[in-house]
Every structure is written in structure tokens, then in C-alpha cells.
Amino acid sequence: MRQHVNPLSRFFQLPRELPGPTELFDDPLQPIHLDIGCARGRFLLDLAAVQPHWNHLGLEIRRPLVDAAQRECQQLELGNLHFLFCNANVSLEGWLGALASDRLQRVSIQFPDPWFKKRHRKRRVLQPSLLLAIAAALAPGRELFLQSDVLEVIEPMVQLTELSGVFSRPPEDERPWRGDNPLPVATERERYVLAQDLPIYRALFRRNDRPLPGREALETAWERVDNPTDDTPGTPDG
């Protein structure tokens, strides 16, 4: 069962200063996989054991889930894994901007909370400013992986990512949705959905070498696409 919180509430709009890699990991020089919306963290607990030469950071807006995940991480003595409580759209941009070049090599957003109503669009996890912060921290060729079991959730994420112009899908991947998970571990939600023989929608993107569009330009273009008032297509300019 999903337990939503409103990321736009005053409490979750308070910025938090996130510790850097030297404070989070035993070996801060390893490449970082950032999982945004990690829930209870069981996916990352499994993945950190399978991929010890990566550092894994899980972000989650529900503090009790973060506390439980971090306790288990410490019990298992996983020095390449850490969990942090924050609203990614409020607190992550500065952390990403402070990373050393090419330290972040993979970002995943998996099965985010669904916000179906039009007035709740601003509650979605992947907003233009967050996407640009992620893109700025990823070197060309590094990956952004999106998946959901709800078509109405993943379609806007894919549309926004493609609209930015700074990510490309691998030419060999199936369209419109990738058939398999490129990661060696499935999330709890993924296993549950597959057990019900229900579809999962996946898209893998890689950072290309195009320059970032301006934030205001992308936000304006995205507003035209996501909340159209006419038939004019939106394309961001740098």
C-alpha cells in the first residue's frame, strides 16, 4: 500500500544540507548510484551487496522509512550504502552541484507515488529543475533509469526527459518501453507487479553531450506540453 505525503507542504519545503560522499561512504571515490524515492530501501540493501564497487545513496521523503533502512544498513555493515531523508526537489540540487566530476554515474527513479489529478502535477518527483540538476551532474554516457507500473506516471517523466534534449535512449532499446531492467536487482514493487503478471513501463536514458537548456526555458516549454492551452508545441532553447 502506498502512503503518500504532500511534498509541497511547508515541512517538506524546508531545505536540508545533505552530507557529502566523504561522510556517507567508506570509499568516497567509488562511482555513485542515486536512487530517488527509495522507500524502505530493500532494493538498495540488496544492490549494495551485489555491487560493492559502487556507492549507493537512497533518498526518501518519508522519514520513518529512511530511519528503518539506515538501521538495517548499519547492521549489515554496508559501507557503500547510505539513506537520507529529504525532499529531492528542495535539497538535492546543491548536493549534486558539489560532486566531483563524473562521481555520479547512475540515477534511478522507480515506481514514484502517482499523482493523477491535474492540480497535483507539481507534486510529481521529476520536475524540470531536478532533471536539469541531475543532467548537470552526469557526464555523457551516464544513465538515468525510469520505471513504473502506472502509465500515467511514467509518461510525463519520459516526455520531460526527452523535452530537455540532453538525454538519449540507447538505440538498441525497445520502444516505447524497454523490456527488461538493466539493474541486477528488482524493487519490491517490481517483484509484486511481475508476480501479478502486470506490465511495467521502463525507459533507460543516457546523458548526451548537448548543453543544458535554461531552466526557465525548459519550465516554460514543459508547461506548454504538460498543461497545454493551445496546440503550439514547446521546445526549450538554451
Side-chain angles (χ1 to χ4, degrees):
M1 179 180 296
R2 302 179 191 267
Q3 297 179 346
H4 299 350
V5 299
N6 179 5
L8 300 183
S9 67
R10 184 174 181 180
F11 175 76
F12 294 114
Q13 289 297 302
L14 296 174
R16 299 177 60 84
E17 185 174 350
L18 304 181
T22 57
E23 300 175 65
L24 298 174
F25 308 115
D26 287 353
D27 182 357
L29 298 182
Q30 293 189 151
I32 295 173
H33 169 202
L34 173 65
D35 188 51
I36 300 175
C38 64
R40 175 56 178 78
R42 293 190 174 93
F43 156 73
L44 286 181
L45 288 162
D46 291 340
L47 188 63
V50 172
Q51 294 186 334
H53 300 300
W54 280 77
N55 287 329
H56 305 271
L57 177 62
L59 301 184
E60 173 58 47
I61 199 170
R62 291 164 289 189
R63 190 196 294 268
L65 299 184
V66 173
D67 293 342
Q70 187 58 29
R71 282 195 300 269
E72 187 167 352
C73 175
Q74 292 170 347
Q75 290 168 0
L76 294 173
E77 298 182 341
L78 293 170
N80 65 327
L81 173 62
H82 206 99
F83 297 95
L84 293 175
F85 159 71
C86 78
N87 181 343
N89 277 290
V90 174
S91 301
L92 186 57
E93 183 174 354
W95 186 87
L96 290 171
L99 288 178
S101 177
D102 203 27
R103 189 60 44 79
L104 182 70
Q105 296 191 8
R106 184 170 65 211
V107 177
S108 56
I109 305 176
Q110 305 180 78
F111 305 95
D113 289 342
W115 298 104
F116 298 113
K117 296 179 180 178
K118 189 175 182 179
R119 68 176 184 271
H120 291 160
R121 291 179 300 119
K122 294 299 184 182
R123 299 185 185 185
R124 297 173 187 156
V125 64
L126 191 60
Q127 299 291 335
S129 58
L130 178 58
L131 179 66
L132 290 178
I134 291 170
L138 291 174
R142 302 311 186 188
E143 295 181 339
L144 170 64
F145 176 55
L146 310 172
Q147 67 170 338
S148 176
D149 56 320
V150 181
L151 196 59
E152 295 87 346
V153 169
I154 195 167
E155 282 184 328
M157 292 198 293
V158 169
Q159 289 171 344
L160 174 59
T161 304
E162 292 178 340
L163 182 66
S164 74
V166 296
F167 286 95
S168 303
R169 295 181 67 171
E172 67 274 12
D173 276 11
E174 298 175 71
R175 302 294 196 278
W177 307 112
R178 181 185 172 102
D180 65 324
N181 187 338
L183 301 173
V185 173
T187 71
E188 287 184 278
R189 180 70 184 177
E190 185 175 0
R191 291 194 295 268
Y192 171 80
V193 173
L194 291 175
Q196 307 302 310
D197 199 27
L198 296 172
I200 294 178
Y201 309 100
R202 305 181 179 98
L204 178 67
F205 290 91
R206 295 195 178 113
R207 179 71 168 94
N208 58 38
D209 58 3
R210 292 187 61 184
L212 295 177
R215 178 179 301 189
E216 184 176 345
L218 180 58
E219 289 176 344
T220 300
W222 178 234
E223 180 67 18
R224 291 199 297 265
V225 170
D226 194 40
N227 188 29
T229 56
D230 55 41
D231 296 328
T232 304
T235 53
D237 299 317

